[in-house]
């Protein structure tokens, strides 16, 4: 169980109090809480609820959660296209199934990017001079075939828009390159990144009750999280979602 902090009291000794409650050295607590909130103060503690309650009593906004409860794309609806309708829209997934959603069910919009890694195995064959073969063959055979295996890993960022629902239905994940933007109509642009920004603006206009939060996409936010048995981007999205739910 980890303990997250969404707000720190504005007193000079606040971080020292958090360090004492969590059993951390002050420099370690300061490092864990540095940067844009929310941050994780304790990544593994048997009494997360107790620590969170103690922090709340000291004026922090804090909560405890299990890494296994962090939502992933396996529990979300990955959207391929949208169809607008009065008071809502219909999201279409990769299987062509349609999922209706009223506009007033949208509670939060999050922008960010996920790094996709692709590993490619390259096999090449080349001839190399072989002194032993040349001697044994009297100079008739001078080379041998050598197979070379090389792995190349490329990393590419995939921007996304996460449309989070507050009615108990799965959240909607829109990836830049996996979306059909014809729902934008005459506003659609040639560039997919521009279309993702337009789609975000469209949701903002249609769902004024849902704030747009870009913390997950800010430099250092995801990288500053401690290692947990969950994808760091999913962890960051969940932290921001819970912080927003609690008013920060």
């Amino acid at each position: 169980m980890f303990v997250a902090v969404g707000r720190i009291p504005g007193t000079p000794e606040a971080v020292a109090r958090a360090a004492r409650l969590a059993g951390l050295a002050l420099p370690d607590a300061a490092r864990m809480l540095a940067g844009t909130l929310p941050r994780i103060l304790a990544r593994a503690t048997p009494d997360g609820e107790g620590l969170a309650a103690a922090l709340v009593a000291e004026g922090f906004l804090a909560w405890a959660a299990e890494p296994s409860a962090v939502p992933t794309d396996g529990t979300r609806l990955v959207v391929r296209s949208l169809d607008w309708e009065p008071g809502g829209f219909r999201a279409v997934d990769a299987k062509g199934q349609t999922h209706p959603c009223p506009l007033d069910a949208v509670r939060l919009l999050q922008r960010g990017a996920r790094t996709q890694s692709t590993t490619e195995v390259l096999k090449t064959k080349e001839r190399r001079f072989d002194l032993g073969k040349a001697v044994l063959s009297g100079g008739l055979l001078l080379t041998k075939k050598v197979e070379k295996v090389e792995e190349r890993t490329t990393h590419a960022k995939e921007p996304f828009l996460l449309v989070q629902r507050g009615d108990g239905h799965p959240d909607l994940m829109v990836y830049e390159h996996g979306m059909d933007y014809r729902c934008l109509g005459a506003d659609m642009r040639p560039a997919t990144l521009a279309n993702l920004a337009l789609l975000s603006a469209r949701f903002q206009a249609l769902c004024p009750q849902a704030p747009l939060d870009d913390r997950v996409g800010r430099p250092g936010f995801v990288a500053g999280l401690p290692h947990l048995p969950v994808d760091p981007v999913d962890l960051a999205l969940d932290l921001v979602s819970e912080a927003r739910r609690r008013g920060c």
Side-chain angles (χ1 to χ4, degrees), residues 157-226:
K157 281 192 173 183
E158 178 83 359
F160 61 75
L161 169 68
L162 178 62
V163 181
Q164 296 191 252
R165 300 179 62 163
D167 58 358
H169 289 278
D171 295 337
L172 313 172
M173 177 63 84
V174 180
Y175 285 106
E176 176 194 348
H177 297 294
M179 179 67 181
D180 181 344
Y181 293 101
R182 282 180 290 181
C183 60
L184 295 173
D187 293 330
M188 188 172 67
R189 299 288 184 264
T192 54
L193 186 58
N195 285 328
L196 185 64
L198 287 171
L199 185 62
S200 301
R202 178 77 62 89
F203 271 110
Q204 282 184 277
L206 295 174
C207 309
Q209 78 283 357
L212 176 64
D213 198 301
D214 67 350
R215 276 178 276 187
V216 172
R218 295 179 192 175
F221 185 78
V222 173
L225 296 175

Side-chain angles (χ1 to χ4, degrees), residues 21-228:
L21 290 171
L24 297 172
L26 179 56
D28 291 335
R31 175 176 51 82
M32 299 294 278
L33 296 177
T36 303
L37 296 174
R39 309 306 290 173
I40 293 178
L41 176 64
R43 64 180 181 179
T45 175
D47 187 20
E49 296 290 352
L51 175 56
L55 289 165
V56 170
E58 291 284 349
F60 292 81
L61 176 66
W63 65 91
E66 292 286 353
S68 59
V70 173
T72 67
D73 281 357
T75 59
R76 301 183 186 110
L77 169 62
V78 179
V79 181
R80 300 304 184 192
S81 64
L82 287 174
D83 294 311
W84 304 105
E85 59 185 16
F89 59 92
R90 293 180 176 273
V92 181
D93 63 21
K95 297 180 181 179
Q97 297 178 335
T98 303
H99 307 263
C101 179
L103 293 172
D104 59 9
V106 179
R107 72 171 185 90
L108 178 63
L109 306 169
Q110 290 200 61
R111 287 289 307 269
R114 191 188 296 277
T115 300
Q116 307 283 7
S117 299
T118 304
T119 300
E120 181 183 11
V121 179
L122 301 175
K123 293 183 179 181
T124 58
K125 291 183 179 180
E126 60 182 25
R127 287 191 170 275
R128 294 181 181 175
F129 175 71
D130 188 328
L131 178 60
K133 183 178 291 188
V135 172
L136 292 174
S137 65
L140 296 177
L141 300 175
L142 301 177
T143 62
K144 65 177 180 180
K145 287 184 178 180
V146 177
E147 185 178 83
K148 184 180 179 181
V149 179
E150 180 183 4
E151 286 191 0
R152 291 183 183 176
T153 302
T154 57
H155 306 280
K157 281 192 173 183
E158 178 83 359
F160 61 75
L161 169 68
L162 178 62
V163 181
Q164 296 191 252
R165 300 179 62 163
D167 58 358
H169 289 278
D171 295 337
L172 313 172
M173 177 63 84
V174 180
Y175 285 106
E176 176 194 348
H177 297 294
M179 179 67 181
D180 181 344
Y181 293 101
R182 282 180 290 181
C183 60
L184 295 173
D187 293 330
M188 188 172 67
R189 299 288 184 264
T192 54
L193 186 58
N195 285 328
L196 185 64
L198 287 171
L199 185 62
S200 301
R202 178 77 62 89
F203 271 110
Q204 282 184 277
L206 295 174
C207 309
Q209 78 283 357
L212 176 64
D213 198 301
D214 67 350
R215 276 178 276 187
V216 172
R218 295 179 192 175
F221 185 78
V222 173
L225 296 175
H227 177 72
L228 290 175

Side-chain angles (χ1 to χ4, degrees), residues 224-241:
L225 296 175
H227 177 72
L228 290 175
V230 63
D231 182 272
V233 173
D234 289 326
L235 177 60
L237 289 168
D238 186 59
L239 289 173
V240 172
S241 176

